[in-house]
């Protein structure tokens, strides 16, 4: 009887590979302080690319009001290099009162409520006081608690200055209209009154509110003058101008004479409105 001898299986001297790979620690990024939350590298890279090239200010703060991240736009507003901002509190970066306390309170509120906060106000910059529109957003950790606050701010200084200039021009125009010795009336293309100054109302003996919505033909002295006014109105609608003397009838029935200059009001495209 033959016997077969079985050789024992050779054991590998190499250590077996573990099935589970060791997690690599989150890599730190320039200008970003860690908060303990690990994001996928691709997502972090995309976020940084967007933030670093954004014209808007992008900041992140922790509970102690320290800067976790500031993009170049934010650094320009502070007038500081990145190494003097990251890890520093709002006050340590030289933000004066009342803005330091104001922003600390806003960050504290978003941490407490977990709700976004929109604000619009001023902030000191190296070139002077600027206007900014800001949105404060809570960033949650894996446990659902607020870990940091993301603040995105847009510089609206140019828009605010344009609005102020428009208001100043409107006020100057209003003063001119109200202080002139001449009566001024604005109508729609059909002749219905949309605006009168006080001098025009006094000429006709009416309160200003009584004249709004009425047709100017109601105050013309006689039928002949009405025909002239209708022809002149058609000419003005076509972009022409008119000057002449007309009789007008006051509220008390008296008739007076007035030298009238009529010109069209146009929009930006030149259309008569």
């Amino acid at each position: 009887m033959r016997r077969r001898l079985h050789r024992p299986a050779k054991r590998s001297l190499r250590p077996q590979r573990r099935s589970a790979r060791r997690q690599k620690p989150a890599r730190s990024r320039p200008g970003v302080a860690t908060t303990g939350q690990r994001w996928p590298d691709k997502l972090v890279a995309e976020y940084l690319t967007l933030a670093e090239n954004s014209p808007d200010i992008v900041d992140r703060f922790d509970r102690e009001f320290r800067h976790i991240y500031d993009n170049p736009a934010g650094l320009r507003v502070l007038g500081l290099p990145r190494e003097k901002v990251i890890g520093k509190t709002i006050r340590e970066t030289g933000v004066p009162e009342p803005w330091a306390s104001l922003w600390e309170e806003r960050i504290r509120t978003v941490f407490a409520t977990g709700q976004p906060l929109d604000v619009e106000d001023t902030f000191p910059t190296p070139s002077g006081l600027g206007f900014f529109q800001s949105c404060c957003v809570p960033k949650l950790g894996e446990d659902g608690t607020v870990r940091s606050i993301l603040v995105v701010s847009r510089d609206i200084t140019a828009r605010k200055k344009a609005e102020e200039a428009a208001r100043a021009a409107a006020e100057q125009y209003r003063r001119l209209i109200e202080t002139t010795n001449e009566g001024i009336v604005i109508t729609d293309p059909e002749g219905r009154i949309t605006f009168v100054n006080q001098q025009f109302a006094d000429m006709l003996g009416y309160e200003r509110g009584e004249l709004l919505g009425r047709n100017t033909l109601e105050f013309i002295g006689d039928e002949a003058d009405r025909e002239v006014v209708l022809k002149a109105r058609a000419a003005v609608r076509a972009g022409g101008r008119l000057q002449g003397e007309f009789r007008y009838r006051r509220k008390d029935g008296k008739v007076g004479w007035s030298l009238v200059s009529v010109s069209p009001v146009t929009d930006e495209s030149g259309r008569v409105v």
Side-chain angles (χ1 to χ4, degrees):
M1 180 181 292
R2 288 184 179 178
R3 294 183 180 178
R4 292 183 178 179
L5 299 177
H6 296 277
R7 295 180 180 179
K10 293 183 178 180
R11 293 183 180 179
S12 175
L13 298 179
R14 297 179 180 178
Q16 293 182 354
R17 294 181 179 178
R18 295 180 181 178
S19 57
R21 294 182 178 178
R22 295 179 180 177
Q23 270 194 336
K24 295 180 179 179
R27 286 182 286 181
S28 60
R29 303 275 174 169
V32 180
T34 178
T35 60
Q37 181 183 4
R38 185 177 184 277
W39 290 2
D41 286 347
K42 183 179 180 181
L43 182 60
V44 173
E46 291 177 352
Y47 167 81
L48 285 176
T49 299
L50 177 63
E52 289 290 302
N53 293 280
S54 173
D56 294 335
I57 299 165
V58 182
D59 303 318
R60 285 183 69 193
F61 297 93
D62 64 13
R63 288 185 180 273
E64 284 70 43
F65 317 121
R66 292 187 297 247
H67 290 258
I68 298 173
Y69 170 79
D70 277 74
N71 73 339
L75 296 173
R76 284 194 295 271
V77 168
L78 291 174
L80 295 172
R82 180 164 282 164
E83 60 270 15
K84 291 188 177 182
V85 174
I86 302 304
K88 306 293 184 181
T89 66
I90 294 175
R91 295 177 184 274
E92 289 172 341
T93 57
V95 175
E97 292 291 358
W99 294 279
S101 295
L102 187 63
W103 275 101
E104 287 176 351
E105 182 57 31
R106 289 169 178 170
I107 293 171
R108 187 182 296 112
T109 298
V110 178
F111 266 113
T113 63
Q115 297 298 317
L117 178 66
D118 294 324
V119 294
E120 182 178 306
D121 60 5
T122 60
F123 192 83
T125 74
S127 58
L129 199 63
F131 290 86
F132 295 88
Q133 190 174 48
S134 303
C135 179
C136 310
V137 182
K139 305 300 291 182
L140 305 181
E142 294 178 354
D143 58 356
T145 61
V146 180
R147 304 296 296 273
S148 64
I149 305 299
L150 177 68
V151 181
V152 180
S153 303
R154 175 161 295 179
D155 189 340
I156 58 172
T157 305
R159 191 190 80 190
K160 283 291 186 179
K161 289 183 176 180
E163 291 174 353
E164 289 177 359
R167 282 194 295 269
E171 177 61 20
Q172 185 177 18
Y173 175 77
R174 186 194 67 80
R175 290 180 180 178
L176 175 65
I177 293 295
E178 294 299 339
T179 58
T180 182
N181 292 325
E182 297 177 335
I184 296 177
V185 57
I186 300 176
T187 72
D188 64 14
E190 283 69 44
R192 290 185 293 267
I193 297 174
T194 60
F195 171 83
V196 295
N197 68 348
Q198 190 60 50
Q199 184 69 13
F200 185 86
D202 292 342
M203 285 173 56
L204 295 180
Y206 288 88
E207 296 294 330
R208 294 171 72 169
E210 295 179 284
L211 295 171
L212 298 179
R214 298 178 66 174
N215 199 296
T216 53
L217 287 176
E218 298 179 37
F219 311 105
I220 300 302
D222 61 19
E223 193 63 33
D225 284 343
R226 292 186 183 186
E227 293 296 326
V228 175
V229 170
L230 288 174
K231 292 179 181 179
R233 187 179 293 173
V236 171
R237 278 200 295 263
R241 296 173 182 270
L242 169 71
Q243 187 176 52
E245 293 182 347
F246 294 92
R247 284 172 288 189
Y248 64 89
R249 189 176 300 279
R250 289 173 46 86
K251 185 177 181 179
D252 58 13
K254 295 180 179 180
V255 176
W257 285 87
S258 177
L259 177 62
V260 179
S261 297
V262 184
S263 58
V265 177
T266 60
D267 58 17
E268 295 179 353
S269 64
R271 183 175 62 89
V272 177
V273 295

